[in-house]
Amino acid sequence: MNAYDLVCEALMNETHGNLHPEALKAHAVATYTMIKYNNSVGTAPVVALNSNVSASVERAVNAVLGECVYYNGSYANTVYHSTSCGETTSSRAVWGGNLPYLTPVDSHWDEKSPYYLGTYRIREEDLADRIERVYGFYPDGDPGGWIVIEDYEDGGYVGTVSVCGYTRSQGGTAGTAKITGRSIRERLLSYAIRSSCFEVDYEGGVFTFTTRGYGHGVGMSQYGAHFMAQEGYDYIEILEHYYPGTTVQ
């Protein structure tokens, strides 16, 4: 595909053209840069496409196509997500490694997002079956103590989690991996909760997970960008806020 069509279709899939025009421009630059970054390191980015491109997306891409986000003269890995928990997290906390421009930044604008708060409920017996399948042991004892948050990662996202006293999987599909907030979200609950920033309560045979944010929380928040733009920030200011230390050109 040519760059214009690729960025248009990726941007349409991510936003449906519904963000503020300056946020759409920011997203278009981030999408193009992420693709260029992956190409530069010899990998192919995974992006979903929607060919039913809106006029608002076309205008945004036309306005900025060719502009990129750079860190020390190289393409930045401009990942993004829907909604943060009020602060973004670091690439180190989610994927390991350390990219200095993927660090926690304030994103209080996300509190206005329709995806800021979420709730998921699961019955005790269903969660027990999942724990056995994923982590290799069947829980016993007081269900109120099955899931305990031990610490937190950058930005307030859940770090280590103790499941029935274990902080590492004992087998199952997770092998012997460390149990983290990300593991709870992705492995145990199969993305049924929106974010790894969560609280969990147990009452009457039901576990309730309450989340803040939607997505991995690294890089630019799409709704944060939208509400920043509504306050008058332009696309360059948005990008340089969410990727600190970078420049757009």
Side-chain angles (χ1 to χ4, degrees):
M1 299 179 68
N2 64 55
Y4 175 79
D5 289 337
L6 178 57
V7 175
C8 279
E9 293 189 21
L11 185 59
M12 187 65 192
N13 181 76
E14 284 288 333
T15 69
H16 305 289
N18 292 332
L19 301 184
H20 187 284
E22 288 299 307
L24 285 176
K25 290 179 188 177
H27 208 308
V29 174
T31 300
Y32 183 62
T33 306
M34 184 183 68
I35 293 167
K36 296 289 283 185
Y37 170 86
N38 277 269
N39 291 167
S40 72
V41 298
T43 59
V46 178
V47 290
L49 306 177
N50 182 343
S51 60
N52 188 25
V53 178
S54 70
S56 60
V57 166
E58 289 183 338
R59 285 193 294 271
V61 176
N62 272 315
V64 299
L65 187 64
E67 294 183 40
C68 282
V69 181
Y70 295 91
Y71 183 79
N72 286 345
S74 299
Y75 297 120
N77 186 15
T78 45
V79 295
Y80 40 80
H81 58 282
S82 169
T83 303
S84 82
C85 69
E87 183 177 358
T88 66
T89 189
S90 65
S91 57
R92 178 205 58 77
V94 177
W95 302 302
N98 182 34
L99 293 175
Y101 50 85
L102 294 180
T103 57
V105 300
D106 171 59
S107 191
H108 65 274
W109 302 275
D110 286 307
E111 294 178 12
K112 301 177 184 179
S113 167
Y115 300 109
Y116 179 68
L117 288 175
T119 302
Y120 174 72
R121 295 179 177 87
I122 183 170
R123 296 183 305 173
E124 173 187 328
E125 55 268 34
D126 293 333
L127 184 64
D129 289 341
R130 290 188 181 212
I131 289 172
E132 182 178 33
R133 183 174 69 253
V134 175
Y135 296 135
F137 55 87
Y138 197 84
D140 57 14
D142 177 14
W146 284 4
I147 298 180
V148 177
I149 297 169
E150 298 287 345
D151 56 39
Y152 292 86
E153 286 287 2
D154 296 338
Y157 291 78
V158 172
T160 304
V161 178
S162 172
V163 178
C164 303
Y166 296 104
T167 57
R168 300 195 76 87
S169 173
Q170 301 299 297
T173 58
T176 59
K178 184 178 179 181
I179 302 176
T180 63
R182 182 183 175 195
S183 173
I184 296 293
R185 179 187 183 224
E186 298 179 9
R187 289 181 173 269
L188 183 64
L189 299 179
S190 301
Y191 291 95
I193 61 174
R194 293 173 176 172
S195 165
S196 62
C197 179
F198 62 81
E199 298 174 352
V200 58
D201 295 296
Y202 173 79
E203 184 176 357
V206 176
F207 286 87
T208 300
F209 290 81
T210 303
T211 57
R212 287 185 294 136
Y214 192 179
H216 50 64
V218 183
M220 184 178 70
S221 162
Q222 294 164 335
Y223 275 94
H226 173 70
F227 291 113
M228 283 184 73
Q230 285 191 347
E231 291 185 8
Y233 292 90
D234 66 27
Y235 73 97
I236 293 177
E237 291 172 319
I238 292 168
L239 290 165
E240 292 182 350
H241 172 74
Y242 282 110
Y243 309 108
T246 66
T247 56
V248 180
Q249 55 187 9

